[in-house]
Amino acid sequence: MINARNDQLNDQRAGHDGAYDVVVVGAGAAGLSAALLLGRARREVAVIDVGEPRNAPASHMHGFLSRDGLPPAALLELGRAEIARYGVRLIPGRVDQIDHGYYVRMVGGPVLEARRIVVATGLRDELPDIPGLRERWGKDLLHCPYCHAYEVRDQPLGVLGTHPGAVHQALLVRQWSDDVVFFAHTLDVTPRDRDRLEARGVRIAEGKIEQLVVDGGRLRGVELAGGLVVPRAAAFVFPRMVPRDELLTRLGCAKDDNGWVATDRTGRTSVAGVWAAGNVIDPRAQVIAAAGMGSAAAFAINTDLLDEDVDRAVEQRRALTVSQ
């Protein structure tokens, strides 16, 4: 009965021409948070999602107040149920293109018209080409210490030197364990970095990484060139984070000096009517931060729409007065 009422409300809110106040692309924490606030503001909202969340390999998420330890999929399920209560329409599928106007074109699906756009498509993690990495990704091969290090605290940990940011990562991981090994791999560790690692109590393993050693469905160690295996219970790696920002760049959204789409504090891009939120514009945003970014974007969008609605009402009132 509740689902039937939600479906009816969705049909009423969407209208007959497929037009919406806001179309949100991406139903992660940022997109769902934006949709929730806009739905509560009684805006006509559609959320389009392809179902490929970045944190899908992780069994639990952490650092989200009141939701610490919740499986990522459970958070998304709760979010989808919440937005449905306010008549927000969730549409499965992939967006191929957004045309100015705005017309949101889905692959093999309908074209939706929107007054405003929120892009919350996240990013993808590109892992180094080392055997075993992808199989253990999100399990005992980890990235964010704030998200996962507590769960492997006081165990033998490794940090793979596959990215310039790996040295800082090793210094940080040391907070959770007295037994941390930095695997230099192909990085040229500077004297300053070597001094800092050693002063921090992080051991340095020289040599190229050949593979992760896995046995019984668990990481057992890191094998170096020559066959030496350094036992480790978990390891951290710094992936290359690539924003899924093609929809934004095709619209002409400007980028910052680091190559990420530039926005103001609310997520407003350089293109009028287009906002972005979450990892698509900030690789450092954890789930709780991404949710906050979606909420901030929704506030700004509703205010922007309100100004437009009021201007339109004034024009209509003046036109009616003149005609009388």
Side-chain angles (χ1 to χ4, degrees), residues 39-51:
R40 285 180 52 80
R42 306 194 73 179
R43 292 296 182 182
E44 295 176 0
V45 183
V47 179
I48 304 172
D49 187 66
V50 73

PDB file of all heavy atoms in Angstrom, residues 39-51:
ATOM      1  N   GLY A  39      13.572  16.806  -2.382  1.00  0.00           N
ATOM      2  CA  GLY A  39      12.261  16.182  -2.300  1.00  0.00           C
ATOM      3  C   GLY A  39      11.447  16.744  -1.155  1.00  0.00           C
ATOM      4  O   GLY A  39      10.240  16.998  -1.274  1.00  0.00           O
ATOM      5  N   ARG A  40      12.091  16.963  -0.028  1.00  0.00           N
ATOM      6  CA  ARG A  40      11.414  17.557   1.122  1.00  0.00           C
ATOM      7  C   ARG A  40      11.019  19.014   0.856  1.00  0.00           C
ATOM      8  O   ARG A  40      10.089  19.532   1.475  1.00  0.00           O
ATOM      9  CB  ARG A  40      12.316  17.473   2.358  1.00  0.00           C
ATOM     10  CG  ARG A  40      12.391  16.070   2.958  1.00  0.00           C
ATOM     11  CD  ARG A  40      13.300  16.033   4.184  1.00  0.00           C
ATOM     12  NE  ARG A  40      12.955  17.051   5.166  1.00  0.00           N
ATOM     13  CZ  ARG A  40      11.953  16.951   6.047  1.00  0.00           C
ATOM     14  NH1 ARG A  40      11.201  15.859   6.062  1.00  0.00           N
ATOM     15  NH2 ARG A  40      11.722  17.917   6.902  1.00  0.00           N
ATOM     16  N   ALA A  41      11.725  19.648  -0.063  1.00  0.00           N
ATOM     17  CA  ALA A  41      11.362  21.008  -0.467  1.00  0.00           C
ATOM     18  C   ALA A  41      10.250  21.010  -1.514  1.00  0.00           C
ATOM     19  O   ALA A  41       9.918  22.065  -2.056  1.00  0.00           O
ATOM     20  CB  ALA A  41      12.594  21.738  -1.005  1.00  0.00           C
ATOM     21  N   ARG A  42       9.704  19.834  -1.788  1.00  0.00           N
ATOM     22  CA  ARG A  42       8.591  19.647  -2.718  1.00  0.00           C
ATOM     23  C   ARG A  42       8.971  19.996  -4.149  1.00  0.00           C
ATOM     24  O   ARG A  42       8.132  20.435  -4.943  1.00  0.00           O
ATOM     25  CB  ARG A  42       7.360  20.442  -2.257  1.00  0.00           C
ATOM     26  CG  ARG A  42       6.956  20.139  -0.819  1.00  0.00           C
ATOM     27  CD  ARG A  42       5.587  20.646  -0.487  1.00  0.00           C
ATOM     28  NE  ARG A  42       4.559  19.820  -1.125  1.00  0.00           N
ATOM     29  CZ  ARG A  42       3.240  20.025  -0.979  1.00  0.00           C
ATOM     30  NH1 ARG A  42       2.813  21.042  -0.225  1.00  0.00           N
ATOM     31  NH2 ARG A  42       2.373  19.256  -1.585  1.00  0.00           N
ATOM     32  N   ARG A  43      10.218  19.752  -4.459  1.00  0.00           N
ATOM     33  CA  ARG A  43      10.668  19.894  -5.838  1.00  0.00           C
ATOM     34  C   ARG A  43      10.452  18.584  -6.583  1.00  0.00           C
ATOM     35  O   ARG A  43      10.446  17.511  -5.981  1.00  0.00           O
ATOM     36  CB  ARG A  43      12.149  20.276  -5.880  1.00  0.00           C
ATOM     37  CG  ARG A  43      12.459  21.672  -5.341  1.00  0.00           C
ATOM     38  CD  ARG A  43      11.813  22.750  -6.179  1.00  0.00           C
ATOM     39  NE  ARG A  43      12.145  24.093  -5.682  1.00  0.00           N
ATOM     40  CZ  ARG A  43      11.662  25.204  -6.233  1.00  0.00           C
ATOM     41  NH1 ARG A  43      10.853  25.134  -7.287  1.00  0.00           N
ATOM     42  NH2 ARG A  43      11.991  26.385  -5.739  1.00  0.00           N
ATOM     43  N   GLU A  44      10.262  18.702  -7.883  1.00  0.00           N
ATOM     44  CA  GLU A  44      10.129  17.515  -8.724  1.00  0.00           C
ATOM     45  C   GLU A  44      11.534  17.051  -9.075  1.00  0.00           C
ATOM     46  O   GLU A  44      12.275  17.745  -9.765  1.00  0.00           O
ATOM     47  CB  GLU A  44       9.322  17.840  -9.967  1.00  0.00           C
ATOM     48  CG  GLU A  44       7.877  18.216  -9.649  1.00  0.00           C
ATOM     49  CD  GLU A  44       7.095  18.631 -10.888  1.00  0.00           C
ATOM     50  OE1 GLU A  44       7.695  18.615 -11.989  1.00  0.00           O
ATOM     51  OE2 GLU A  44       5.920  18.971 -10.758  1.00  0.00           O
ATOM     52  N   VAL A  45      11.897  15.866  -8.590  1.00  0.00           N
ATOM     53  CA  VAL A  45      13.280  15.397  -8.673  1.00  0.00           C
ATOM     54  C   VAL A  45      13.333  13.984  -9.231  1.00  0.00           C
ATOM     55  O   VAL A  45      12.529  13.119  -8.857  1.00  0.00           O
ATOM     56  CB  VAL A  45      13.950  15.415  -7.280  1.00  0.00           C
ATOM     57  CG1 VAL A  45      15.418  14.998  -7.387  1.00  0.00           C
ATOM     58  CG2 VAL A  45      13.836  16.794  -6.638  1.00  0.00           C
ATOM     59  N   ALA A  46      14.290  13.754 -10.106  1.00  0.00           N
ATOM     60  CA  ALA A  46      14.608  12.403 -10.573  1.00  0.00           C
ATOM     61  C   ALA A  46      16.076  12.129 -10.318  1.00  0.00           C
ATOM     62  O   ALA A  46      16.924  13.018 -10.478  1.00  0.00           O
ATOM     63  CB  ALA A  46      14.302  12.257 -12.058  1.00  0.00           C
ATOM     64  N   VAL A  47      16.366  10.920  -9.896  1.00  0.00           N
ATOM     65  CA  VAL A  47      17.742  10.481  -9.663  1.00  0.00           C
ATOM     66  C   VAL A  47      18.028   9.325 -10.613  1.00  0.00           C
ATOM     67  O   VAL A  47      17.294   8.337 -10.642  1.00  0.00           O
ATOM     68  CB  VAL A  47      17.955  10.029  -8.205  1.00  0.00           C
ATOM     69  CG1 VAL A  47      19.392   9.551  -8.008  1.00  0.00           C
ATOM     70  CG2 VAL A  47      17.626  11.152  -7.234  1.00  0.00           C
ATOM     71  N   ILE A  48      19.110   9.461 -11.372  1.00  0.00           N
ATOM     72  CA  ILE A  48      19.504   8.414 -12.315  1.00  0.00           C
ATOM     73  C   ILE A  48      20.792   7.782 -11.817  1.00  0.00           C
ATOM     74  O   ILE A  48      21.751   8.486 -11.490  1.00  0.00           O
ATOM     75  CB  ILE A  48      19.714   8.993 -13.726  1.00  0.00           C
ATOM     76  CG1 ILE A  48      18.449   9.725 -14.194  1.00  0.00           C
ATOM     77  CG2 ILE A  48      20.077   7.881 -14.707  1.00  0.00           C
ATOM     78  CD1 ILE A  48      18.636  10.482 -15.498  1.00  0.00           C
ATOM     79  N   ASP A  49      20.818   6.453 -11.766  1.00  0.00           N
ATOM     80  CA  ASP A  49      22.000   5.787 -11.228  1.00  0.00           C
ATOM     81  C   ASP A  49      22.250   4.479 -11.957  1.00  0.00           C
ATOM     82  O   ASP A  49      21.320   3.722 -12.240  1.00  0.00           O
ATOM     83  CB  ASP A  49      21.832   5.514  -9.731  1.00  0.00           C
ATOM     84  CG  ASP A  49      23.106   4.973  -9.111  1.00  0.00           C
ATOM     85  OD1 ASP A  49      24.097   5.726  -9.073  1.00  0.00           O
ATOM     86  OD2 ASP A  49      23.113   3.816  -8.674  1.00  0.00           O
ATOM     87  N   VAL A  50      23.545   4.222 -12.247  1.00  0.00           N
ATOM     88  CA  VAL A  50      23.912   3.014 -12.975  1.00  0.00           C
ATOM     89  C   VAL A  50      24.220   1.857 -12.032  1.00  0.00           C
ATOM     90  O   VAL A  50      24.381   0.713 -12.462  1.00  0.00           O
ATOM     91  CB  VAL A  50      25.106   3.311 -13.904  1.00  0.00           C
ATOM     92  CG1 VAL A  50      26.386   3.464 -13.096  1.00  0.00           C
ATOM     93  CG2 VAL A  50      25.250   2.254 -14.990  1.00  0.00           C
ATOM     94  N   GLY A  51      24.341   2.133 -10.731  1.00  0.00           N
ATOM     95  CA  GLY A  51      24.569   1.068  -9.765  1.00  0.00           C
ATOM     96  C   GLY A  51      25.987   0.576  -9.689  1.00  0.00           C
ATOM     97  O   GLY A  51      26.233  -0.629  -9.542  1.00  0.00           O
TER      98      GLY A  51
END
